[in-house]
Amino acid sequence: MAHGSGGPRVVKYGTIREYVLNFEVVLADGTILWTGANTLKYASGYNLTQLLIGSEGTLGIITKMVLKLIPQPLHNVLMLASFSTNEDACAAVSSIFNVGITPSAVEFMERKGMEWVIENDQIHFNLNPDAAAFLLIEVDGTNMDMLFNDCETINTALEKYKCLEVLFADSATQKDEFWKIRRTMAVSVKSNSIYKEEDTVVPRAELPKLIAGIKEIGLKYGFDSICYGHAGDGNLHVNILKGNMSDHAWQHDLKKGIVELFQLTVKLGGTISGEHGIGLVQKEYMHIKYSEIHLNLMRGIKKVFDPNGILNPDKIF
Ligand SMILES: Cc1cc2nc3c(=O)[nH]c(=O)nc-3n(C[C@H](O)[C@H](O)[C@H](O)COP(=O)(O)OP(=O)(O)OC[C@H]3O[C@@H](n4cnc5c(N)ncnc54)[C@H](O)[C@@H]3O)c2cc1C
C-alpha cells in the first residue's frame, strides 16, 4: 500500500491503487480515522485514501484497509517470445496493444538475467541461441478459444518485430518454470554481482529508446546492466552491475551515470520510480523529475499531516 506497489499483472488489472477503497490510519498526533468510504466511486473532496498510497509511511500509519475484490480468471495462456535485440523486444510490446489485446502480463527479460537464473536454479531450459531478449506474455480470461485467437493475433503482431520464436507453456509445470525464471531474476542478479537497481518507467512506446539509452550510458560510464521488468507498463528494472568497475568509479562516476539515466527517463515522459518508491536512496534524484514548486507542494502536504516530522523522517524528499 505505502509503496503503491505493482507487479506483473498491473498491465491488465492495475496497481494496488485500483483496489483500495478505504484506510483506517493513525495520524502523527495519534488520531485514528478512516480516510474514505467503502464505495467503488468517490467524489467527496480530496481523496485522502489515494494520497496515502505511495506515501511510504510519511503521512500516517495504515492499520486497516477495505479492498475491492475481483474474480480470478478461469484460464490463462503463457508464451515466451524471443528476439535478436533488446530494442526489437521492447518495440514489440506496444504492437500487442495496437492489435486491440490487453494481455494480463508482458514481462521483458534480457538474456544474461535468464542465463543467471537458469544456472543458479538449475532450471532445465535451453534458451534460443540467437536471442538477446525475451518477452513473457500472458493472456487470461474465461474462454479458451478466444484466448487462443488472441495468441494467434499476438504472434502475427510480433512477427513484424523480428520475433525469432514463440514458445507456449504447455503445462502448469512449464508455466511455473517460465514464471520462476522471471520472478527469481532479481535474486539471481543480486547473488551474482554487486549491483544498484533503478526502477525506471516510461510510456511503453518509448521502451526501445530507453533501453538503447541505458546501454549507451553504461558504455560511457563503464558499467554493464541487466534489465528486466513489467514492459507492458513501460516499467524497466535496471540492475547496474559493478563488474570490473573500480571502487572509485562505483562510488563516484556511477552517480553521474544514474543522473543521466533518470534524465533520459524523464525526457521520454517517464519518472524515476514506477513501483519501488523513493525512500532514502532515491530522494537525491527527485529534482530530476520535480521542480521546486512540486517539491514544495509535497513538503506542504507532509507538514499538514506530520507537523513535527516524526513519521519516516527524511524519506522521499
Ligand atoms: C525480490 C523482490 C521482488 C519485488 N517485486 C516487486 C514487484 O513486482 N512490484 C512491486 O511493486 N514491488 C516489488 N518489490 C518491492 C517490495 O516488495 C515492495 O515495495 C513492497 O511493497 C514492500 O512491502 P513490505 O510490506 O515489505 O513493505 P516495507 O518494505 O516494510 O515498507 C515499505 C514502505 O512502506 C512503509 N510502511 C510499511 N507498512 C506501513 C503501514 N502500515 N502504514 C504506513 N506505511 C507503512 C514503510 O515505512 C516503508 O516506507 C520487490 C521486492 C523484492 C525484494
Side-chain angles (χ1 to χ4, degrees), residues 198 200 214 217 238 240 257-265:
E198 305 306 345
T200 61
I214 291 165
I217 293 166
V238 182
I240 299 169
I258 294 172
V259 166
E260 277 197 36
L261 196 153
F262 283 142
Q263 286 169 337
L264 170 67
T265 304

Side-chain angles (χ1 to χ4, degrees), residues 5-186:
S5 296
R9 296 198 171 86
V10 164
V11 63
K12 180 171 181 180
Y13 295 102
T15 71
I16 193 67
R17 278 187 187 285
E18 269 65 52
Y19 298 88
V20 179
L21 303 180
N22 205 355
F23 280 135
E24 182 193 66
V25 64
V26 182
L27 300 177
D29 65 0
T31 305
I32 300 175
L33 57 76
W34 282 91
T35 53
N38 303 348
T39 55
L40 297 175
K41 294 169 85 168
Y42 186 94
S44 324
Y46 299 156
N47 191 326
L48 300 180
T49 308
Q50 288 294 320
L51 181 60
L52 278 165
I53 298 173
S55 65
E56 301 184 27
T58 60
L59 301 180
I61 309 290
I62 298 158
T63 45
K64 290 188 188 124
M65 62 194 81
V66 178
L67 297 175
K68 171 179 81 174
L69 300 180
I70 59 170
Q72 184 115 13
L74 287 179
H75 308 291
N76 67 62
V77 180
L78 188 62
M79 300 163 267
L80 184 67
S82 50
F83 299 81
S84 33
T85 69
N86 288 332
E87 288 80 357
D88 288 338
C90 285
V93 173
S94 294
S95 74
I96 300 169
F97 301 86
N98 295 345
V99 290
I101 293 172
T102 303
S104 47
V106 184
E107 297 288 296
F108 170 86
M109 297 178 278
E110 271 195 79
R111 182 186 191 88
K112 195 167 181 178
M114 292 183 77
E115 286 173 344
W116 278 0
V117 173
I118 290 167
E119 199 186 303
N120 289 0
D121 295 24
Q122 280 104 35
I123 294 176
H124 302 293
F125 183 70
N126 297 322
L127 296 177
N128 181 315
D130 306 322
F134 301 79
L135 292 180
L136 188 61
I137 305 165
E138 184 194 69
V139 288
D140 69 6
T142 51
N143 181 316
M144 273 310 270
D145 294 340
M146 284 173 69
L147 291 182
F148 281 123
N149 288 346
D150 285 352
C151 293
E152 258 176 55
T153 310
I154 290 173
N155 273 277
T156 314
L158 297 182
E159 277 160 17
K160 298 193 186 81
Y161 294 87
K162 298 182 237 137
C163 178
L164 300 170
E165 74 179 338
V166 176
L167 298 176
F168 282 78
D170 54 16
S171 65
T173 312
Q174 191 162 51
K175 281 182 186 172
D176 293 346
E177 204 170 65
F178 282 179
W179 273 118
K180 183 175 180 193
I181 293 173
R182 170 60 189 89
R183 290 217 163 96
T184 56
M185 196 160 287

